[in-house]
Amino acid sequence: MLGIARIYDLTLAGLGCQQGAAAGQADEYIDRNRSGVSRGRRGPDRTAVHDRSGRGFSTTFHDVRKSNRCTASDGLEGFVARVRAAVAAAVLVSALAPLTFGGAAAVAAPVPTAAAGTSAEAGSVRTVVQEGGRLTVPAGEEGAVTLRFTATLPAGTRGPVTAVLRMPDTLVARAGGSPVSENVIRSTCTVNGVAYGACPWHMPFVRAGESVDKPSLDLPTVPAAGTLAYAVTMDADRTAGVLGRPDARVELKDNAGTVVAEGTVRLDFVLATPPASQRGALHARDKQGVLWRYEGTGDVTRPFATRKRVGGGWNAYTVVAPLSGVTAGGTGSLVARDRAGVLWYYEATGNPAAPFAPRERVGGGWNIYTAIVGTGDGSLVARDRDGVLWIYDESYNSYGRFKPRTRVGGGWNTYNALVRSGGWEGVLGRDKDGVLWKYAHKGCSPCAPFEARQRIGGGWNIYTALAGTAELGRDEFPDLVARDAAGKLWLYQGVPVYQPGPLWGLTVPGSKRSLIGGGWNVYDLMF
């Protein structure tokens, strides 16, 4: 491309004009009409021309002195007209494209476009909209529910688009560890109908003096589109109950990390059906010696599922005592004493269909006791005919199943019923006046096994059978069932007692009962 001065020189040469009056008038025209184009220094052989930005270029004069006369027909007016046309063309061309002739480029102004990774709608952030309002997420065995929300992106958004769902509150450690399980929520993600498989949750938790991120879900990285419709399944376990009712934030970013859409999705994590390993179970022996199993449902309005047959021959035993919490998942070992005074051990299998392994002989001489009760932690207590209570701690060495007995104390023949508390927390005793008492574990060793007894209440002599169970509802506290003389079975849900001292948080049967059903007098033993 040619510079303005170059065009000027060529025009002079082409016309065969002198560098006299005509050339001087042409110079004057350029100076008057440059409109942003200015002449620079001019020597005998070069001229410099600059654009509006000050960037310049130079060109070499032809030696027009060799042709220093104009033709009579052109004259001054024709010459000026030609120069005017040449200059206008040069200015137009230089505005459209860069030119370098031994100097810096003259650059045209850029056309406004969306830069890579940014939205053409600069500064525009759209809203994420949840479908269906606040979503209830059952924390339990109910299975997955689906969270749906839509994000409309600004025009010109460049992908890929990343997204995250972030909880509002930080998780705080419990007992030095995470308050939730490793896979507290299992999620899959679909965007605009395309399945992306599992989406990872992050559940950092804070200890004292630490600073960590809040729980979050990584949503799929997807191509940009005008609208992104998300479907996120959520299958939460019981530990998700600590998440409460969060108003979670969803944030979408373009490929430059600029937020292009954000909004709130509202969730409600509610305690739901516990897993089988946390639901209680009740065993009952009928008068023919058949043992039946009632597995907890996690719903106190119908606490037990249809009974299952365990097997016959259980009328060979005069005592059957669970050592720990019996659950619907097939956990909870027990001991049984036969009529000859031999104690047998049945180890739990963890298989609800066949909950007990073949029995193992513990030893003889156990018919000296009038009551044998598991304490919930694998140990058992036994009351002799004189009312002295003895404890057999669980053993893991050459002693066998239990360590040698240790005397707890006398006076225990005041109780006409001794049963295991539903959890690991000790035993319950009903005295001859119908008052129910709780003996809670001390939780230390070596020391006396129980704290001072706690009065639960009177009136319990209306019942012909009592049995502590693991949780039958959804509040994680052990429960108690009681059968009255009419054969009706009642549920007493466990409640925590918050009082100062070592018994803080002690769980006892509540004061309110609910009817499970009738016909339970067909059984002569329940545990």
Side-chain angles (χ1 to χ4, degrees):
M1 186 173 295
L2 300 177
I4 296 175
R6 178 65 169 161
I7 295 172
Y8 166 64
D9 290 341
L10 293 178
T11 303
L12 290 177
L15 292 174
C17 297
Q18 301 183 43
Q19 287 183 310
Q25 292 182 46
D27 285 347
E28 182 182 355
Y29 176 81
I30 292 174
D31 287 338
R32 288 198 316 268
N33 298 279
R34 55 195 170 190
S35 184
V37 179
S38 62
R39 290 196 55 181
R41 295 182 306 274
R42 178 174 179 179
D45 296 320
R46 299 189 65 84
T47 187
V49 182
H50 302 272
D51 62 11
R52 290 184 179 90
S53 66
R55 293 186 294 266
F57 53 88
S58 61
T59 186
T60 303
F61 278 113
H62 282 271
D63 188 4
V64 293
R65 293 182 179 87
K66 294 181 179 178
S67 179
N68 57 0
R69 288 188 299 271
C70 299
T71 60
S73 60
D74 285 325
L76 180 59
E77 292 182 2
F79 167 76
V80 171
R82 283 178 168 81
V83 171
R84 182 183 293 112
V87 170
V91 171
L92 176 61
V93 171
S94 65
L96 295 176
L99 175 65
T100 301
F101 280 102
V107 181
V111 178
T113 59
T118 64
S119 170
E121 298 181 10
S124 176
V125 177
R126 297 299 176 86
T127 302
V128 172
V129 179
Q130 181 179 3
E131 296 182 17
R134 182 176 291 274
L135 177 68
T136 297
V137 183
E141 297 295 289
E142 278 69 11
V145 294
T146 302
L147 168 67
R148 300 181 187 277
F149 57 90
T150 301
T152 302
L153 305 187
T157 297
R158 302 289 181 86
V161 174
T162 59
V164 64
L165 182 153
R166 185 170 287 105
M167 297 294 186
D169 300 316
T170 302
L171 288 178
V172 179
R174 288 186 179 178
S178 176
V180 298
S181 67
E182 183 178 358
N183 296 309
V184 55
I185 307 174
R186 297 159 297 281
S187 290
T188 61
C189 294
T190 300
V191 185
N192 284 354
V194 178
Y196 287 87
C199 302
W201 281 90
H202 306 285
M203 292 286 173
F205 59 94
V206 63
R207 296 182 178 92
E210 293 181 337
S211 178
V212 299
D213 293 333
K214 296 173 181 178
S216 62
L217 170 67
D218 290 339
L219 297 166
T221 299
V222 299
T227 300
L228 297 177
Y230 291 82
V232 181
T233 64
M234 294 187 175
D235 187 2
D237 68 20
R238 288 277 290 179
T239 62
V242 302
L243 299 174
R245 306 181 73 245
D247 289 346
R249 294 291 294 174
V250 175
E251 187 177 79
L252 282 72
K253 294 182 178 180
D254 64 14
N255 70 346
T258 302
V259 176
V260 292
E262 60 184 1
T264 300
V265 293
R266 294 173 171 82
L267 306 171
D268 193 357
F269 291 91
V270 297
L271 286 178
T273 304
S277 61
Q278 297 178 22
R279 297 196 306 269
L282 178 69
H283 291 93
R285 182 185 66 190
D286 66 23
K287 295 174 182 178
Q288 289 72 44
V290 177
L291 190 66
W292 299 89
R293 177 179 174 86
Y294 290 85
E295 295 176 358
T297 63
D299 181 358
V300 294
T301 64
R302 50 176 194 89
F304 296 116
T306 303
R307 69 179 187 174
K308 298 178 181 178
R309 190 179 192 272
V310 176
W314 286 79
N315 51 3
Y317 301 116
T318 57
V319 172
V320 181
L323 298 174
S324 56
V326 178
T327 71
T331 60
S333 301
L334 57 82
V335 293
R337 182 188 65 189
D338 65 20
R339 298 181 188 278
V342 176
L343 192 70
W344 300 88
Y345 173 76
Y346 285 85
E347 185 173 6
T349 64
N351 177 11
F356 304 115
R359 67 182 187 174
E360 302 173 14
R361 190 179 192 273
V362 176
W366 287 79
N367 51 8
I368 65 172
Y369 298 116
T370 59
I372 298 174
V373 182
T375 63
D377 63 352
S379 303
L380 62 82
V381 292
R383 181 188 63 193
D384 65 22
R385 289 183 174 86
D386 297 323
V388 176
L389 193 71
W390 302 85
I391 186 167
Y392 289 82
D393 287 319
E394 187 176 21
S395 173
Y396 302 97
N397 52 35
S398 59
Y399 289 121
R401 183 60 57 183
F402 301 104
K403 296 178 182 179
R405 71 180 188 172
T406 302
R407 190 180 192 272
V408 177
W412 285 77
N413 52 8
T414 189
Y415 300 112
N416 59 20
L418 286 172
V419 298
R420 181 184 61 84
S421 179
W424 66 275
E425 299 176 329
V427 299
L428 299 169
R430 181 186 63 189
D431 67 22
K432 295 174 182 178
D433 297 324
V435 177
L436 194 65
W437 301 84
K438 172 71 176 279
Y439 287 85
H441 270 303
K442 254 191 176 179
C444 59
S445 179
C447 62
F450 303 119
E451 300 283 356
R453 69 179 187 173
Q454 298 294 309
R455 189 180 193 273
I456 295 173
W460 290 83
N461 51 5
I462 66 172
Y463 298 115
T464 60
L466 302 173
T469 70
E471 169 61 20
L472 296 177
R474 299 179 178 181
D475 57 15
E476 300 182 350
F477 300 116
D479 299 324
L480 178 74
V481 295
R483 181 189 64 195
D484 64 22
K488 292 179 180 179
L489 193 68
W490 300 88
L491 169 63
Y492 287 85
Q493 290 187 264
V495 295
V497 177
Y498 298 111
Q499 59 186 28
L503 298 181
W504 176 269
L506 174 72
T507 301
V508 300
S511 59
K512 296 181 180 180
R513 67 179 187 174
S514 58
L515 180 64
I516 295 175
W520 287 80
N521 51 10
V522 300
Y523 301 115
D524 62 7
L525 179 66
M526 292 191 303
F527 57 88

